[in-house]
């Protein structure tokens, strides 16, 4: 059984990512053009987004990446740089584009995850700057809203929700699904 398909046309979904990815993370590592070339060659050799584009990444192939649109690298990075533990609807082998219909939903999700990270390192004092990306979606997506059949996937506890969600997402991806619509877990 699969969730029902819903035709969605939604403009301005909100995705927040750390602002440090807005500028090159390695810009401070070189002093001249020769050093820059060496540093960029090393970075490119280990960049999963570029490896996926070359067909060298197991979780996603070059035919699945976006090309020829503004911010294609940002979109592709969401799928090629997954969290090592996966997410609610993706494993560590393949990322996902998570976005909220409302800014508040995206923000609450980021706050929750950042807080979990701070608890893990036992340091609850931090500031974080995020960049917001807006994306429009149009297509048929599997819909978990208004059904109790997939409540386990929406459990706020990652130990419960992520297991069910990752299994469901893998099955839907294998069947050619474009993605999932689901109610915000961290923002009622």
């Amino acid at each position: 059984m699969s969730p029902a398909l819903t035709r969605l046309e939604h403009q301005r979904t909100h995705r927040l990512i750390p602002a440090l990815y807005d500028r090159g993370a390695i810009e401070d590592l070189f002093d001249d053009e020769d050093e820059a070339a060496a540093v960029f060659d090393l970075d490119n050799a280990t960049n999963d987004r570029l490896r996926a584009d070359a067909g060298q990444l197991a979780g996603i192939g070059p035919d699945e990446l976006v090309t020829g649109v503004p911010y294609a690298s940002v979109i592709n990075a969401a799928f090629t740089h997954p969290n090592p533990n996966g997410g609610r609807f993706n494993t560590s082998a393949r990322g996902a584009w998570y976005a909220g219909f409302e800014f508040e939903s995206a923000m609450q999700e980021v706050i929750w995850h950042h807080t979990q990270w701070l608890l893990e390192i036992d340091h609850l004092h931090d500031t974080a700057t995020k960049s917001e990306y807006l994306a429009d979606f149009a297509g048929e997506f599997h819909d978990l809203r208004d059904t109790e059949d997939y409540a386990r996937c929406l459990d706020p506890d990652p130990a419960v929700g992520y297991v069910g969600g990752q299994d469901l997402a893998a099955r839907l991806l294998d069947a050619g699904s474009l993605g999932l619509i689901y109610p915000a877990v961290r923002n009622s």
Side-chain angles (χ1 to χ4, degrees), residues 10-15 75 97 99-100 133-137:
H10 193 90
Q11 295 182 332
R12 299 178 59 87
T13 64
H14 306 267
R15 178 175 173 82
I75 297 165
W97 181 272
Y133 288 89
L134 302 175
D136 300 342
F137 285 87

Side-chain angles (χ1 to χ4, degrees), residues 122-142:
D122 195 26
H123 182 79
L124 288 175
H125 306 284
D126 194 26
T127 60
T129 303
K130 304 292 181 179
S131 294
E132 178 185 20
Y133 288 89
L134 302 175
D136 300 342
F137 285 87
E140 284 195 334
F141 298 87
H142 287 92

Side-chain angles (χ1 to χ4, degrees), residues 20 23-32 35-36 39-40:
L20 65 99
R23 67 176 203 77
I26 59 176
E27 289 177 359
D28 298 330
L29 300 178
F30 49 83
D31 295 319
D32 58 44
E35 286 181 4
V39 169
F40 282 116

Side-chain angles (χ1 to χ4, degrees), residues 57-76:
L57 199 62
I60 188 166
D63 58 321
E64 298 176 272
L65 299 177
V66 176
T67 59
V69 299
Y71 301 102
S73 64
V74 173
I75 297 165
N76 293 337

Side-chain angles (χ1 to χ4, degrees), residues 2-171:
S2 292
L5 284 170
T6 296
R7 175 80 187 155
L8 175 75
E9 291 188 26
H10 193 90
Q11 295 182 332
R12 299 178 59 87
T13 64
H14 306 267
R15 178 175 173 82
L16 300 173
I17 65 168
L20 65 99
Y21 296 120
D22 278 354
R23 67 176 203 77
I26 59 176
E27 289 177 359
D28 298 330
L29 300 178
F30 49 83
D31 295 319
D32 58 44
E33 288 185 28
D34 289 338
E35 286 181 4
V39 169
F40 282 116
D41 284 346
L42 178 61
D43 181 57
N44 289 344
T46 60
N47 184 314
D48 284 345
R49 183 177 46 79
L50 298 175
R51 291 181 56 227
D53 194 42
Q56 301 171 342
L57 199 62
I60 188 166
D63 58 321
E64 298 176 272
L65 299 177
V66 176
T67 59
V69 299
Y71 301 102
S73 64
V74 173
I75 297 165
N76 293 337
F79 295 95
T80 58
H81 297 289
N83 182 306
N85 299 317
R88 182 169 303 279
F89 293 108
N90 70 284
T91 66
S92 61
R94 177 194 185 100
W97 181 272
Y98 288 96
F101 285 175
E102 296 140 4
F103 176 82
E104 183 70 23
S105 295
M107 185 175 66
Q108 288 301 319
E109 191 70 28
V110 166
I111 289 170
W112 188 87
H113 283 283
H114 195 81
T115 301
Q116 298 312 299
W117 176 70
L118 293 173
L119 288 167
E120 186 177 306
I121 64 171
D122 195 26
H123 182 79
L124 288 175
H125 306 284
D126 194 26
T127 60
T129 303
K130 304 292 181 179
S131 294
E132 178 185 20
Y133 288 89
L134 302 175
D136 300 342
F137 285 87
E140 284 195 334
F141 298 87
H142 287 92
D143 195 344
L144 302 187
R145 300 171 299 175
D146 301 323
T147 180
E148 293 297 318
D149 295 341
Y150 302 94
R152 182 170 177 251
C153 300
L154 302 173
D155 192 298
D157 180 359
V160 177
Y162 286 22
V163 173
Q166 289 176 6
D167 179 58
L168 174 63
R171 286 189 293 111

